[in-house]
Amino acid sequence: MAAIGVLVLIAGGVAYAAQVARDRGVTAKTPERVKQVVPEASKQVIKPLSPPKTIRGVHVTMALASIPGKLDEYLSLSGINTIQLDVKDENGEVGFVPSAVPLARSIGAAKPYYKPRATARQIHAKGMYLIGRVVVMEDPVLSLKRPDLAIRSADGGRWVNHAGLGWSNPYDRRVWEYNVDIAEAAARVGFDEIQFDYVRFPSDGDMDAIVYPGKTSTPPGWVIAQFVQYASKRLKPLGVRVSADVFGLAATRDLGIGQIPKRIGRYLDAIYPMVYPSHFGPGEYNLDDPNGAPGGTVAYALRDFNRQLAGTTVKIVPWLQDFSWDGRTYGLTEIQAQIDSARRAKAGGYLLWNAAGIYTPGALEPARWAAN
């Protein structure tokens, strides 16, 4: 008790001295002894959980997570064992205010959608695995507020895609650092896995008008691989798993956006192919209507991922379609057809995607797949 009292007095004295110093316009220096007995909060890391043997989870946006009681609804879904929550989304927003990432605050990207530590504890209390999604290159906020970090247009302005969204420059290491700083902040407050999305070059818009400031001779496939390697080197010492989302056709052929599964797979714990049947064009895999053949489409796509990643330890966990598109209504039958194909492909489970956060009842039941 006496020792604790001394530490309290020391900490109080340091806080008072620091305040006085700030008032006088000078920087206070923390005594070495106090540094040893009062670790900085930013250096504390919550030990991550191991992933389930078979992942069964859903995507949750930061906006949905901010609604009181909404997260509890997802945690109550029958059969669920994983929550994938946006840390940084395709709008360039960060779901919480990370103190260790001043750039996110200064450009207005950091938003108080949820309290990360409390949210992680809530999810872990239910025995759930927590994946944090970090959208990397598509970033309307960073590209607008920091045009020096953006992909530029031939006319000198900020380049945007067909949806009018700006992108950050894949060749700029400061973009890498910014996104991994955010990922590290999430890892330190309780996320078990960091999943990078839009970790690629643009795929739509006026591609001929693109100008990459500081572009090197390094091909896109190596630029993305180098980013993934950099991210893994920084994050894995914290104990979190590192993964990436890739297009469903990325293993079938080179799409020219830098996503080469066998190249990035060596640095990752898991790859999440987005094998939504609605995203495959007519004739793909010799299927007249891939969207109308959910089981077959997923089977063919995962066949190619298994071939390309054979001999590696990276886990393949597909994103499956739980939304209707292009005149096709997707219900439990269509979802189970996809799940069956993922199981036969010996995938490590699956995640369901629905941008509106509305998931089909019974879709996560483990009856068709061995329970965790």
Side-chain angles (χ1 to χ4, degrees), residues 142-175:
L142 183 66
S143 62
L144 179 63
K145 299 293 186 177
R146 286 290 303 272
D148 58 312
L149 301 180
I151 294 177
R152 310 297 293 176
S153 183
D155 62 7
R158 182 178 63 126
W159 180 88
V160 297
N161 62 10
H162 284 321
L165 302 176
W167 282 59
S168 54
N169 184 3
Y171 288 97
D172 198 318
R173 293 276 179 145
R174 294 173 296 175
V175 171

Side-chain angles (χ1 to χ4, degrees), residues 335-348:
I335 296 168
Q336 287 182 336
Q338 297 174 79
I339 293 172
D340 287 347
S341 291
R343 176 182 54 79
R344 287 192 292 268
K346 301 187 184 303

Side-chain angles (χ1 to χ4, degrees), residues 42-316:
S42 63
K43 300 300 182 183
Q44 297 174 354
V45 181
I46 298 173
K47 186 177 180 181
L49 298 180
S50 297
K53 181 179 179 181
T54 301
I55 286 176
R56 298 186 302 276
V58 298
H59 164 67
V60 180
T61 67
M62 57 183 70
L64 286 170
S66 72
I67 300 173
K70 193 64 177 177
L71 193 54
D72 286 322
E73 292 181 19
Y74 292 119
L75 294 173
S76 299
L77 290 172
S78 181
I80 193 171
N81 60 25
T82 301
I83 293 288
Q84 190 254 28
L85 175 62
D86 279 344
V87 170
K88 176 173 174 274
D89 67 10
E90 50 270 74
N91 295 314
E93 292 188 340
V94 180
F96 57 93
V97 183
S99 59
V101 192
L103 179 55
R105 301 197 308 274
S106 67
I107 64 176
K111 306 290 184 179
Y113 281 103
Y114 57 85
K115 296 180 179 179
R117 288 183 185 273
T119 299
R121 285 196 297 268
Q122 179 184 359
I123 292 169
H124 289 154
K126 293 289 187 178
M128 305 286 178
Y129 185 65
L130 177 57
I131 300 172
R133 175 178 178 246
V134 177
V135 172
V136 184
M137 301 306 173
E138 182 176 280
D139 196 327
V141 176
L142 183 66
S143 62
L144 179 63
K145 299 293 186 177
R146 286 290 303 272
D148 58 312
L149 301 180
I151 294 177
R152 310 297 293 176
S153 183
D155 62 7
R158 182 178 63 126
W159 180 88
V160 297
N161 62 10
H162 284 321
L165 302 176
W167 282 59
S168 54
N169 184 3
Y171 288 97
D172 198 318
R173 293 276 179 145
R174 294 173 296 175
V175 171
W176 298 13
E177 292 172 5
Y178 172 64
N179 283 279
V180 179
D181 284 348
I182 292 169
E184 182 176 329
R188 290 187 181 279
V189 296
F191 284 79
D192 304 308
E193 178 177 324
I194 300 300
Q195 182 189 86
F196 291 106
D197 199 0
Y198 286 79
V199 57
R200 59 179 177 83
F201 283 68
S203 61
D204 69 278
D206 187 354
M207 309 298 286
D208 293 333
I210 287 180
V211 174
Y212 295 106
K215 181 181 179 180
T216 68
S217 59
T218 306
W222 284 111
V223 172
I224 297 305
Q226 289 170 359
F227 166 77
V228 171
Q229 181 183 31
Y230 164 78
S232 294
K233 281 185 176 180
R234 282 190 53 186
L235 294 171
K236 286 191 176 183
L238 301 179
V240 294
R241 290 167 62 82
V242 182
S243 60
D245 297 328
V246 297
F247 277 1
L249 280 169
T252 302
R253 56 179 175 272
D254 188 348
L255 301 174
I257 57 174
Q259 289 185 345
I260 302 177
K262 65 182 177 183
R263 192 171 291 168
I264 65 175
R266 70 185 70 178
Y267 308 116
L268 297 172
D269 296 295
I271 282 182
Y272 293 79
M274 299 178 288
V275 293
Y276 315 125
S278 62
H279 286 37
F280 293 78
E284 195 68 58
Y285 305 124
N286 291 318
L287 297 172
D288 292 335
D289 179 17
N291 196 24
T297 302
V298 170
Y300 282 122
L302 292 183
R303 174 203 63 187
D304 291 347
F305 275 93
N306 279 330
R307 287 176 177 175
Q308 191 167 142
L309 294 168
T312 71
T313 59
V314 65
K315 181 181 288 189
I316 300 172

